[in-house]
Amino acid sequence: MSYPLLEARITVRYGKQAVLPDLVLRVEDGEMVGLAGMSGSGKSSLALALMRLLHLRGGAVSGELRLRGRNLLTIPEREMRRVRGCEMALVLQSAQAALNPALTLDRQFQLVWEAHSRVRWREKRADVMRLLESFRLPPTPDFLRRLPDEISVGQAQRVLIAMAMLHKPALLVADEITSALDPLTEREVLEVLRNANREWGTAILFVSHNLHALVSLCHSLAVLHEGRIVERGSVAGILRAPRHGYTRQLLSTLPAVEPPSLATSVSRGAYLAQDQ
């Protein structure tokens, strides 16, 4: 039997309040899915719920959360720790806060690697250098000796993505990772995600309120409104014929024309033209 990579049918609660009631989400192997919605709509709660980390914020998840058919909500925490970072990985919004300020980048890469592998770190270093280079980071020992406050915000975000990709997970959940970036750095981070998808077949759930980034990167789009996914389909299809009023409201924020020099920028009209 063939299963989707990820299939969620869950309810997310904080106390008695269901912020995401009976939410259904599906991600196929190698698919880049954008999850769109305004701030406070529950996007980050969903990202944590998928990793079974919502309890850290006082939330609870019920229902079914299946990764290739296996219900992650029923397995022991010890087994779930082997899933996190190895089969599916999470990259959070604040890169500088996510990195340990007291440890060098090399040490943090090492800890991530050793959490899921018995191969010695010294035998992995050459692969890490290639990974850094593919993510547009300096592939040098000097760079790895730096502390997080000695690199830029954009570099820190790419370091986090590189750490998440160390074990080549099948699914990467990226939660608002471009929200604090300037447009040029955002474009570089989106290209890093494209490369991860293209080179390793990693499926990506890209969670953002930035609709422009979503349609620039993703194959399909899910629109979250008032705790429910109100629309799901291909990016081009939704741009051409949005069905839900909230989706139409979101799309009205897209610029009609983009400067042609920004090669990765996509306006609504340009994207539709590409799909003809």
Side-chain angles (χ1 to χ4, degrees), residues 121-131:
W121 174 241
R122 68 181 64 176
E123 299 175 26
K124 183 66 178 176
R125 270 203 179 94
D127 291 337
V128 171
M129 294 303 181
R130 288 191 289 270
L131 187 65

Side-chain angles (χ1 to χ4, degrees), residues 40-59:
S41 63
K43 301 187 305 299
S44 292
S45 291
L46 176 59
L48 291 174
L50 295 179
M51 305 299 294
R52 240 178 71 174
L53 292 172
L54 193 66
H55 64 281
L56 299 177
R57 288 191 180 176

Side-chain angles (χ1 to χ4, degrees), residues 30 70 85 87 165 185 203 208-209 229 246 254 270:
R70 175 177 44 162
E87 298 180 54
M165 291 302 302
T185 306
S208 181
H209 67 273
I229 292 179
Y246 179 68
L254 279 177

Side-chain angles (χ1 to χ4, degrees), residues 11-19 58 60:
T11 293
V12 171
R13 297 180 182 277
Y14 290 96
K16 295 183 179 180
Q17 182 184 8
V19 295

Side-chain angles (χ1 to χ4, degrees), residues 5 29-32 68 87 124 127-136 158 161-172 191-204:
L5 173 60
D29 278 292
E31 186 181 18
M32 291 194 287
R68 293 201 170 113
E87 298 180 54
K124 183 66 178 176
D127 291 337
V128 171
M129 294 303 181
R130 288 191 289 270
L131 187 65
L132 292 177
E133 187 173 19
S134 69
F135 283 8
R136 301 185 180 184
R158 280 173 279 157
I161 298 171
M163 286 181 181
M165 291 302 302
L166 263 183
H167 296 280
K168 305 298 188 293
L171 175 65
L172 179 67
E191 187 58 31
V192 162
L193 295 178
R194 286 190 194 93
N195 287 340
N197 176 258
R198 184 166 49 240
E199 293 182 24
W200 299 296
T202 303
I204 296 172

Side-chain angles (χ1 to χ4, degrees), residues 89-100 105 108-109 112 131-132 135 137 143 148 151-166 169 172-173 175 177 189 192-193:
L90 173 66
V91 180
L92 295 170
Q93 176 178 354
S94 177
Q96 296 286 9
L99 293 170
N100 189 322
L105 301 180
Q108 295 188 62
F109 270 105
V112 171
L131 187 65
L132 292 177
F135 283 8
L137 291 165
F143 180 75
I151 62 177
S152 70
V153 174
Q155 286 179 323
Q157 195 62 271
R158 280 173 279 157
V159 163
L160 276 185
I161 298 171
M163 286 181 181
M165 291 302 302
L166 263 183
L172 179 67
V173 180
D175 181 21
I177 64 172
V189 169
V192 162
L193 295 178

Side-chain angles (χ1 to χ4, degrees), residues 55-68:
H55 64 281
L56 299 177
R57 288 191 180 176
V61 187
S62 59
E64 292 187 347
L65 174 59
R66 296 191 177 274
L67 185 69
R68 293 201 170 113

Side-chain angles (χ1 to χ4, degrees), residues 1-7 26-29 66-70:
M1 181 179 295
S2 178
Y3 294 101
L5 173 60
L6 179 77
E7 189 169 26
R26 180 174 176 140
V27 180
E28 301 289 350
D29 278 292
R66 296 191 177 274
L67 185 69
R68 293 201 170 113
R70 175 177 44 162

